[in-house]
Amino acid sequence: AFHNTLQHMDFAKAKTDLEGEIARLVKSGYITSQQSNVLNKRMLQNLLSSQIISDVINSKEVYREFRFNTKIKAKDALENTPESLSDVEIILQGSVDLAYLSDGKLNVVDYKTDRVKDVSKLKELYSRQLSLYKQAMEECTPYKVDKCIIYSIRLGEFITV
């Protein structure tokens, strides 16, 4: 429910009226009333009060759940790729939770709901994924990526990868 909510949420409206924005999402069919009831409003408020969301609101270009297909070398996606296959091109499909333009470059944000005690654990687990997202966004948009950021929904913390 969290990812779907963030995909369709009007961050500017939610900052001033979270309940009203959630009601709009239900009325529009983006989330169900059951999903709205289990949303952790405190966790949403943490995200909405962040500088990153302020930057998103002020950005001239925002991508949400940006789906991509791109070719990459097998060695870039898979650990322990045999030497003979390392330069073979494979298709990478994925979806970037959020990307926004800042000073002419993209910042990529990936929401994580993992139960971890320290946000640095997410960096360890997902740095390869974010590296692939960076590569995909640079190939699929006219922009270079400046930062790749993980947001831990549970901890309410960001970490740059």
Side-chain angles (χ1 to χ4, degrees), residues 5-16 21 47-48 53 56-57 62 64 98 111:
T5 299
L6 294 175
Q7 177 184 356
H8 298 288
M9 179 176 278
D10 180 323
F11 291 141
K13 288 181 182 171
K15 281 184 88 155
T16 58
E21 181 56 14
L47 176 60
L48 291 168
I53 294 303
V56 170
I57 291 168
V62 176
R64 295 191 196 205
L98 175 68
Y111 309 126

Side-chain angles (χ1 to χ4, degrees), residues 50-60 100-102 107:
S50 71
Q51 183 59 50
I52 285 179
I53 294 303
S54 294
D55 292 346
V56 170
I57 291 168
N58 293 319
S59 178
K60 292 179 182 172
Y100 64 96
L101 199 59
S102 176
N107 289 329

Side-chain angles (χ1 to χ4, degrees), residues 81-129:
T81 304
E83 178 91 22
S84 61
L85 300 175
S86 65
D87 287 330
V88 171
E89 286 191 330
I90 60 174
I91 302 284
L92 176 68
Q93 296 179 319
S95 180
V96 170
D97 292 336
L98 175 68
Y100 64 96
L101 199 59
S102 176
D103 296 325
K105 293 184 179 177
L106 285 177
N107 289 329
V108 174
V109 181
D110 193 37
Y111 309 126
K112 296 296 181 194
T113 57
D114 303 47
R115 294 181 188 269
V116 294
K117 292 185 167 105
D118 185 343
V119 73
S120 63
K121 180 67 174 170
L122 295 175
K123 183 176 183 176
E124 177 185 322
L125 291 170
Y126 296 106
S127 61
R128 179 183 291 257
Q129 177 187 352

